[in-house]
PDB file of all heavy atoms in Angstrom:
ATOM      1  N   ARG H 149      21.605  38.139-112.134  1.00  0.00           N
ATOM      2  CA  ARG H 149      21.292  36.792-111.681  1.00  0.00           C
ATOM      3  C   ARG H 149      22.562  35.949-111.713  1.00  0.00           C
ATOM      4  O   ARG H 149      23.254  35.886-112.719  1.00  0.00           O
ATOM      5  CB  ARG H 149      20.235  36.184-112.606  1.00  0.00           C
ATOM      6  CG  ARG H 149      19.879  34.741-112.298  1.00  0.00           C
ATOM      7  CD  ARG H 149      18.765  34.278-113.231  1.00  0.00           C
ATOM      8  NE  ARG H 149      19.150  34.388-114.621  1.00  0.00           N
ATOM      9  CZ  ARG H 149      19.782  33.432-115.296  1.00  0.00           C
ATOM     10  NH1 ARG H 149      20.107  32.293-114.697  1.00  0.00           N
ATOM     11  NH2 ARG H 149      20.099  33.603-116.567  1.00  0.00           N
ATOM     12  N   PRO H 150      22.909  35.274-110.628  1.00  0.00           N
ATOM     13  CA  PRO H 150      24.103  34.418-110.651  1.00  0.00           C
ATOM     14  C   PRO H 150      23.900  33.240-111.603  1.00  0.00           C
ATOM     15  O   PRO H 150      22.797  32.706-111.724  1.00  0.00           O
ATOM     16  CB  PRO H 150      24.237  33.947-109.199  1.00  0.00           C
ATOM     17  CG  PRO H 150      22.869  34.058-108.630  1.00  0.00           C
ATOM     18  CD  PRO H 150      22.236  35.233-109.315  1.00  0.00           C
ATOM     19  N   LEU H 151      24.954  32.865-112.289  1.00  0.00           N
ATOM     20  CA  LEU H 151      24.899  31.720-113.189  1.00  0.00           C
ATOM     21  C   LEU H 151      25.189  30.446-112.405  1.00  0.00           C
ATOM     22  O   LEU H 151      25.980  30.455-111.461  1.00  0.00           O
ATOM     23  CB  LEU H 151      25.915  31.879-114.314  1.00  0.00           C
ATOM     24  CG  LEU H 151      25.758  33.095-115.225  1.00  0.00           C
ATOM     25  CD1 LEU H 151      26.870  33.131-116.272  1.00  0.00           C
ATOM     26  CD2 LEU H 151      24.398  33.103-115.893  1.00  0.00           C
ATOM     27  N   VAL H 152      24.545  29.372-112.801  1.00  0.00           N
ATOM     28  CA  VAL H 152      24.760  28.067-112.179  1.00  0.00           C
ATOM     29  C   VAL H 152      25.139  27.089-113.275  1.00  0.00           C
ATOM     30  O   VAL H 152      24.418  26.948-114.279  1.00  0.00           O
ATOM     31  CB  VAL H 152      23.499  27.579-111.436  1.00  0.00           C
ATOM     32  CG1 VAL H 152      23.751  26.201-110.819  1.00  0.00           C
ATOM     33  CG2 VAL H 152      23.091  28.577-110.359  1.00  0.00           C
ATOM     34  N   VAL H 153      26.272  26.423-113.123  1.00  0.00           N
ATOM     35  CA  VAL H 153      26.725  25.477-114.145  1.00  0.00           C
ATOM     36  C   VAL H 153      25.795  24.271-114.149  1.00  0.00           C
ATOM     37  O   VAL H 153      25.601  23.612-113.127  1.00  0.00           O
ATOM     38  CB  VAL H 153      28.167  25.031-113.888  1.00  0.00           C
ATOM     39  CG1 VAL H 153      28.620  24.059-114.987  1.00  0.00           C
ATOM     40  CG2 VAL H 153      29.094  26.236-113.838  1.00  0.00           C
ATOM     41  N   GLY H 154      25.211  24.006-115.317  1.00  0.00           N
ATOM     42  CA  GLY H 154      24.270  22.910-115.456  1.00  0.00           C
ATOM     43  C   GLY H 154      23.595  22.999-116.810  1.00  0.00           C
ATOM     44  O   GLY H 154      24.023  23.767-117.695  1.00  0.00           O
ATOM     45  N   PRO H 155      22.556  22.214-117.018  1.00  0.00           N
ATOM     46  CA  PRO H 155      21.848  22.239-118.295  1.00  0.00           C
ATOM     47  C   PRO H 155      21.390  23.655-118.654  1.00  0.00           C
ATOM     48  O   PRO H 155      20.899  24.404-117.813  1.00  0.00           O
ATOM     49  CB  PRO H 155      20.640  21.319-118.041  1.00  0.00           C
ATOM     50  CG  PRO H 155      21.104  20.380-116.975  1.00  0.00           C
ATOM     51  CD  PRO H 155      21.998  21.199-116.095  1.00  0.00           C
ATOM     52  N   GLY H 156      21.591  24.017-119.932  1.00  0.00           N
ATOM     53  CA  GLY H 156      21.198  25.338-120.407  1.00  0.00           C
ATOM     54  C   GLY H 156      22.332  26.339-120.466  1.00  0.00           C
ATOM     55  O   GLY H 156      22.209  27.374-121.123  1.00  0.00           O
ATOM     56  N   LEU H 157      23.440  26.044-119.804  1.00  0.00           N
ATOM     57  CA  LEU H 157      24.580  26.945-119.839  1.00  0.00           C
ATOM     58  C   LEU H 157      25.477  26.584-121.019  1.00  0.00           C
ATOM     59  O   LEU H 157      25.789  25.418-121.231  1.00  0.00           O
ATOM     60  CB  LEU H 157      25.375  26.840-118.535  1.00  0.00           C
ATOM     61  CG  LEU H 157      26.273  28.036-118.191  1.00  0.00           C
ATOM     62  CD1 LEU H 157      25.419  29.211-117.741  1.00  0.00           C
ATOM     63  CD2 LEU H 157      27.262  27.658-117.097  1.00  0.00           C
ATOM     64  N   LYS H 158      25.880  27.579-121.793  1.00  0.00           N
ATOM     65  CA  LYS H 158      26.767  27.333-122.934  1.00  0.00           C
ATOM     66  C   LYS H 158      28.179  27.009-122.439  1.00  0.00           C
ATOM     67  O   LYS H 158      28.744  27.744-121.641  1.00  0.00           O
ATOM     68  CB  LYS H 158      26.819  28.569-123.838  1.00  0.00           C
ATOM     69  CG  LYS H 158      25.515  28.924-124.522  1.00  0.00           C
ATOM     70  CD  LYS H 158      25.701  30.077-125.479  1.00  0.00           C
ATOM     71  CE  LYS H 158      26.144  31.335-124.748  1.00  0.00           C
ATOM     72  NZ  LYS H 158      26.271  32.510-125.664  1.00  0.00           N
ATOM     73  N   THR H 159      28.726  25.894-122.941  1.00  0.00           N
ATOM     74  CA  THR H 159      30.077  25.504-122.545  1.00  0.00           C
ATOM     75  C   THR H 159      31.064  25.535-123.707  1.00  0.00           C
ATOM     76  O   THR H 159      32.266  25.656-123.487  1.00  0.00           O
ATOM     77  CB  THR H 159      30.078  24.086-121.943  1.00  0.00           C
ATOM     78  OG1 THR H 159      29.742  23.138-122.979  1.00  0.00           O
ATOM     79  CG2 THR H 159      29.083  23.968-120.804  1.00  0.00           C
ATOM     80  N   GLY H 160      30.577  25.404-124.930  1.00  0.00           N
ATOM     81  CA  GLY H 160      31.463  25.314-126.080  1.00  0.00           C
ATOM     82  C   GLY H 160      32.171  23.977-126.190  1.00  0.00           C
ATOM     83  O   GLY H 160      33.066  23.819-127.018  1.00  0.00           O
ATOM     84  N   VAL H 161      31.772  22.999-125.363  1.00  0.00           N
ATOM     85  CA  VAL H 161      32.423  21.693-125.343  1.00  0.00           C
ATOM     86  C   VAL H 161      31.449  20.635-125.859  1.00  0.00           C
ATOM     87  O   VAL H 161      30.315  20.537-125.391  1.00  0.00           O
ATOM     88  CB  VAL H 161      32.863  21.308-123.913  1.00  0.00           C
ATOM     89  CG1 VAL H 161      33.475  19.910-123.902  1.00  0.00           C
ATOM     90  CG2 VAL H 161      33.844  22.329-123.365  1.00  0.00           C
ATOM     91  N   GLN H 162      31.905  19.858-126.836  1.00  0.00           N
ATOM     92  CA  GLN H 162      31.103  18.727-127.294  1.00  0.00           C
ATOM     93  C   GLN H 162      31.201  17.610-126.270  1.00  0.00           C
ATOM     94  O   GLN H 162      32.294  17.208-125.872  1.00  0.00           O
ATOM     95  CB  GLN H 162      31.592  18.229-128.660  1.00  0.00           C
ATOM     96  CG  GLN H 162      30.748  17.107-129.236  1.00  0.00           C
ATOM     97  CD  GLN H 162      31.231  16.653-130.600  1.00  0.00           C
ATOM     98  OE1 GLN H 162      32.229  17.163-131.110  1.00  0.00           O
ATOM     99  NE2 GLN H 162      30.533  15.714-131.201  1.00  0.00           N
ATOM    100  N   MET H 163      30.061  17.113-125.833  1.00  0.00           N
ATOM    101  CA  MET H 163      30.019  16.110-124.770  1.00  0.00           C
ATOM    102  C   MET H 163      29.763  14.731-125.365  1.00  0.00           C
ATOM    103  O   MET H 163      28.681  14.462-125.889  1.00  0.00           O
ATOM    104  CB  MET H 163      28.922  16.459-123.761  1.00  0.00           C
ATOM    105  CG  MET H 163      29.020  17.862-123.178  1.00  0.00           C
ATOM    106  SD  MET H 163      30.469  18.070-122.119  1.00  0.00           S
ATOM    107  CE  MET H 163      29.945  17.135-120.694  1.00  0.00           C
ATOM    108  N   ARG H 164      30.742  13.846-125.270  1.00  0.00           N
ATOM    109  CA  ARG H 164      30.568  12.465-125.725  1.00  0.00           C
ATOM    110  C   ARG H 164      30.220  11.594-124.507  1.00  0.00           C
ATOM    111  O   ARG H 164      30.933  10.661-124.167  1.00  0.00           O
ATOM    112  CB  ARG H 164      31.834  11.969-126.413  1.00  0.00           C
ATOM    113  CG  ARG H 164      32.263  12.805-127.605  1.00  0.00           C
ATOM    114  CD  ARG H 164      33.405  12.148-128.356  1.00  0.00           C
ATOM    115  NE  ARG H 164      33.925  12.989-129.398  1.00  0.00           N
ATOM    116  CZ  ARG H 164      33.386  13.145-130.599  1.00  0.00           C
ATOM    117  NH1 ARG H 164      32.261  12.492-130.893  1.00  0.00           N
ATOM    118  NH2 ARG H 164      33.933  13.936-131.503  1.00  0.00           N
ATOM    119  N   TYR H 165      29.120  11.949-123.884  1.00  0.00           N
ATOM    120  CA  TYR H 165      28.680  11.284-122.657  1.00  0.00           C
ATOM    121  C   TYR H 165      27.264  10.807-122.900  1.00  0.00           C
ATOM    122  O   TYR H 165      26.469  11.501-123.538  1.00  0.00           O
ATOM    123  CB  TYR H 165      28.726  12.277-121.486  1.00  0.00           C
ATOM    124  CG  TYR H 165      29.141  11.696-120.157  1.00  0.00           C
ATOM    125  CD1 TYR H 165      30.455  11.320-119.928  1.00  0.00           C
ATOM    126  CD2 TYR H 165      28.227  11.542-119.116  1.00  0.00           C
ATOM    127  CE1 TYR H 165      30.861  10.801-118.699  1.00  0.00           C
ATOM    128  CE2 TYR H 165      28.619  11.030-117.882  1.00  0.00           C
ATOM    129  CZ  TYR H 165      29.934  10.665-117.683  1.00  0.00           C
ATOM    130  OH  TYR H 165      30.325  10.145-116.474  1.00  0.00           O
ATOM    131  N   ASP H 166      26.918   9.618-122.395  1.00  0.00           N
ATOM    132  CA  ASP H 166      25.577   9.079-122.644  1.00  0.00           C
ATOM    133  C   ASP H 166      24.500  10.061-122.212  1.00  0.00           C
ATOM    134  O   ASP H 166      23.514  10.281-122.922  1.00  0.00           O
ATOM    135  CB  ASP H 166      25.390   7.749-121.902  1.00  0.00           C
ATOM    136  CG  ASP H 166      26.259   6.641-122.475  1.00  0.00           C
ATOM    137  OD1 ASP H 166      26.728   6.790-123.625  1.00  0.00           O
ATOM    138  OD2 ASP H 166      26.483   5.638-121.767  1.00  0.00           O
ATOM    139  N   ASP H 167      24.658  10.666-121.036  1.00  0.00           N
ATOM    140  CA  ASP H 167      23.716  11.656-120.531  1.00  0.00           C
ATOM    141  C   ASP H 167      24.520  12.833-120.009  1.00  0.00           C
ATOM    142  O   ASP H 167      25.006  12.809-118.868  1.00  0.00           O
ATOM    143  CB  ASP H 167      22.845  11.059-119.425  1.00  0.00           C
ATOM    144  CG  ASP H 167      21.802  12.041-118.908  1.00  0.00           C
ATOM    145  OD1 ASP H 167      21.788  13.199-119.374  1.00  0.00           O
ATOM    146  OD2 ASP H 167      20.992  11.641-118.048  1.00  0.00           O
ATOM    147  N   PRO H 168      24.694  13.892-120.823  1.00  0.00           N
ATOM    148  CA  PRO H 168      25.518  15.032-120.402  1.00  0.00           C
ATOM    149  C   PRO H 168      25.060  15.674-119.098  1.00  0.00           C
ATOM    150  O   PRO H 168      25.880  16.275-118.390  1.00  0.00           O
ATOM    151  CB  PRO H 168      25.384  16.008-121.576  1.00  0.00           C
ATOM    152  CG  PRO H 168      25.107  15.140-122.760  1.00  0.00           C
ATOM    153  CD  PRO H 168      24.235  14.039-122.220  1.00  0.00           C
ATOM    154  N   SER H 169      23.786  15.536-118.743  1.00  0.00           N
ATOM    155  CA  SER H 169      23.301  16.146-117.506  1.00  0.00           C
ATOM    156  C   SER H 169      23.892  15.479-116.269  1.00  0.00           C
ATOM    157  O   SER H 169      23.825  16.027-115.168  1.00  0.00           O
ATOM    158  CB  SER H 169      21.773  16.083-117.449  1.00  0.00           C
ATOM    159  OG  SER H 169      21.311  14.749-117.313  1.00  0.00           O
ATOM    160  N   GLU H 170      24.466  14.281-116.443  1.00  0.00           N
ATOM    161  CA  GLU H 170      25.087  13.587-115.320  1.00  0.00           C
ATOM    162  C   GLU H 170      26.473  14.120-114.981  1.00  0.00           C
ATOM    163  O   GLU H 170      26.997  13.839-113.899  1.00  0.00           O
ATOM    164  CB  GLU H 170      25.202  12.083-115.618  1.00  0.00           C
ATOM    165  CG  GLU H 170      23.886  11.338-115.681  1.00  0.00           C
ATOM    166  CD  GLU H 170      24.098   9.852-115.946  1.00  0.00           C
ATOM    167  OE1 GLU H 170      25.256   9.439-116.192  1.00  0.00           O
ATOM    168  OE2 GLU H 170      23.105   9.118-115.889  1.00  0.00           O
ATOM    169  N   VAL H 171      27.074  14.868-115.895  1.00  0.00           N
ATOM    170  CA  VAL H 171      28.445  15.339-115.685  1.00  0.00           C
ATOM    171  C   VAL H 171      28.434  16.456-114.639  1.00  0.00           C
ATOM    172  O   VAL H 171      27.724  17.444-114.772  1.00  0.00           O
ATOM    173  CB  VAL H 171      29.063  15.852-116.999  1.00  0.00           C
ATOM    174  CG1 VAL H 171      30.508  16.303-116.752  1.00  0.00           C
ATOM    175  CG2 VAL H 171      29.029  14.762-118.055  1.00  0.00           C
ATOM    176  N   GLY H 172      29.242  16.301-113.598  1.00  0.00           N
ATOM    177  CA  GLY H 172      29.296  17.294-112.533  1.00  0.00           C
ATOM    178  C   GLY H 172      29.774  18.644-113.035  1.00  0.00           C
ATOM    179  O   GLY H 172      30.605  18.727-113.946  1.00  0.00           O
ATOM    180  N   PRO H 173      29.272  19.722-112.443  1.00  0.00           N
ATOM    181  CA  PRO H 173      29.658  21.062-112.908  1.00  0.00           C
ATOM    182  C   PRO H 173      31.138  21.350-112.738  1.00  0.00           C
ATOM    183  O   PRO H 173      31.722  22.090-113.544  1.00  0.00           O
ATOM    184  CB  PRO H 173      28.795  21.989-112.035  1.00  0.00           C
ATOM    185  CG  PRO H 173      28.430  21.172-110.835  1.00  0.00           C
ATOM    186  CD  PRO H 173      28.305  19.767-111.338  1.00  0.00           C
ATOM    187  N   ASP H 174      31.767  20.795-111.709  1.00  0.00           N
ATOM    188  CA  ASP H 174      33.203  21.002-111.530  1.00  0.00           C
ATOM    189  C   ASP H 174      33.992  20.328-112.648  1.00  0.00           C
ATOM    190  O   ASP H 174      35.023  20.850-113.095  1.00  0.00           O
ATOM    191  CB  ASP H 174      33.651  20.483-110.168  1.00  0.00           C
ATOM    192  CG  ASP H 174      33.257  19.033-109.903  1.00  0.00           C
ATOM    193  OD1 ASP H 174      32.289  18.546-110.527  1.00  0.00           O
ATOM    194  OD2 ASP H 174      33.914  18.381-109.063  1.00  0.00           O
ATOM    195  N   ARG H 175      33.502  19.190-113.115  1.00  0.00           N
ATOM    196  CA  ARG H 175      34.177  18.485-114.206  1.00  0.00           C
ATOM    197  C   ARG H 175      34.076  19.302-115.494  1.00  0.00           C
ATOM    198  O   ARG H 175      35.039  19.376-116.269  1.00  0.00           O
ATOM    199  CB  ARG H 175      33.570  17.101-114.403  1.00  0.00           C
ATOM    200  CG  ARG H 175      33.678  16.211-113.158  1.00  0.00           C
ATOM    201  CD  ARG H 175      32.943  14.894-113.347  1.00  0.00           C
ATOM    202  NE  ARG H 175      33.626  14.032-114.310  1.00  0.00           N
ATOM    203  CZ  ARG H 175      33.080  12.944-114.831  1.00  0.00           C
ATOM    204  NH1 ARG H 175      31.839  12.594-114.511  1.00  0.00           N
ATOM    205  NH2 ARG H 175      33.767  12.198-115.683  1.00  0.00           N
ATOM    206  N   ILE H 176      32.928  19.911-115.731  1.00  0.00           N
ATOM    207  CA  ILE H 176      32.763  20.760-116.911  1.00  0.00           C
ATOM    208  C   ILE H 176      33.721  21.946-116.850  1.00  0.00           C
ATOM    209  O   ILE H 176      34.387  22.290-117.835  1.00  0.00           O
ATOM    210  CB  ILE H 176      31.308  21.240-117.018  1.00  0.00           C
ATOM    211  CG1 ILE H 176      30.380  20.054-117.299  1.00  0.00           C
ATOM    212  CG2 ILE H 176      31.163  22.309-118.109  1.00  0.00           C
ATOM    213  CD1 ILE H 176      28.907  20.394-117.226  1.00  0.00           C
TER     214      ILE H 176
END
């Protein structure tokens, strides 16, 4: 199954963003 960058994917990055789901996948 191809992976899609978004909620549920492990990034290892702590997100200091009000709503991390708003962060674009390219930015991640």
Side-chain angles (χ1 to χ4, degrees):
R149 176 177 59 88
L151 300 178
V152 179
V153 181
L157 201 73
K158 295 185 298 183
T159 67
V161 177
Q162 184 179 2
M163 306 292 287
R164 302 188 186 280
Y165 216 72
D166 292 342
D167 183 357
S169 68
E170 292 181 354
V171 181
D174 54 337
R175 300 174 70 192
I176 294 172

